[in-house]
């Protein structure tokens, strides 16, 4: 008889978040998927969940461009916090601004909803002066 090992979503996410941090690409954007940690030239950001994806689908016209909201864990030398991040709205962290600047894949009209595991988010940190 075979037995299956069932992981709760929290245990699954906890195991994934132990992966190494992903550094920024040459464009200065650090990218990470759900439960992956991105090192954003100062803070570390781990997307935990997609709360909203109301972006306008590609090849369509919309009155409003929409937005993406995620729940993310932000780690700094002073500790960590879980916070909501919204595309285009920087968050003040470590005397600088942390911003969700990219969400992939694009939404496509008529396509099924994007699975949370298929998302990749891009973050940029701008230190204060």
């Amino acid at each position: 008889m075979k037995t299956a090992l069932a992981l709760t979503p929290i245990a699954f996410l906890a195991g994934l978040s132990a992966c190494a941090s992903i550094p920024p690409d040459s464009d200065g954007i650090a990218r990470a998927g759900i439960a992956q940690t991105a090192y954003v030239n100062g803070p570390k950001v781990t997307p935990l969940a997609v709360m909203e994806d109301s972006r306008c689908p590609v090849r369509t016209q919309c009155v409003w461009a929409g937005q993406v909201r995620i729940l993310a864990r932000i780690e700094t030398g002073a500790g960590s916090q879980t916070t909501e991040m919204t595309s285009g709205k920087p968050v003040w962290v470590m005397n600088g601004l942390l911003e969700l600047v990219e969400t992939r894949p694009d939404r496509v009209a008529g396509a099924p909803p994007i699975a949370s595991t298929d998302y990749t988010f891009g973050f940029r940190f701008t230190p204060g002066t």
Side-chain angles (χ1 to χ4, degrees), residues 52-63:
E52 174 188 349
D53 184 354
S54 60
R55 295 174 295 159
C56 183
V58 294
R59 294 183 292 283
T60 61
Q61 284 190 325
C62 299
V63 175

Side-chain angles (χ1 to χ4, degrees), residues 47-120:
L48 301 174
V50 178
M51 300 171 67
E52 174 188 349
D53 184 354
S54 60
R55 295 174 295 159
C56 183
V58 294
R59 294 183 292 283
T60 61
Q61 284 190 325
C62 299
V63 175
W64 182 53
Q67 65 184 14
V68 173
R69 290 185 313 124
I70 65 170
L71 187 64
R73 183 176 58 245
I74 301 171
E75 298 174 62
T76 67
S80 70
Q81 65 182 29
T82 300
T83 190
E84 180 180 309
M85 295 187 71
T86 302
S87 55
K89 295 183 180 178
V91 176
W92 185 255
V93 177
M94 293 178 55
N95 293 325
L97 296 174
L98 176 64
E99 187 173 5
L100 171 60
V101 295
E102 178 182 276
T103 301
R104 296 281 181 233
D106 291 329
R107 288 187 60 216
V108 178
I114 301 167
S116 62
T117 54
D118 291 340
Y119 277 97
T120 301

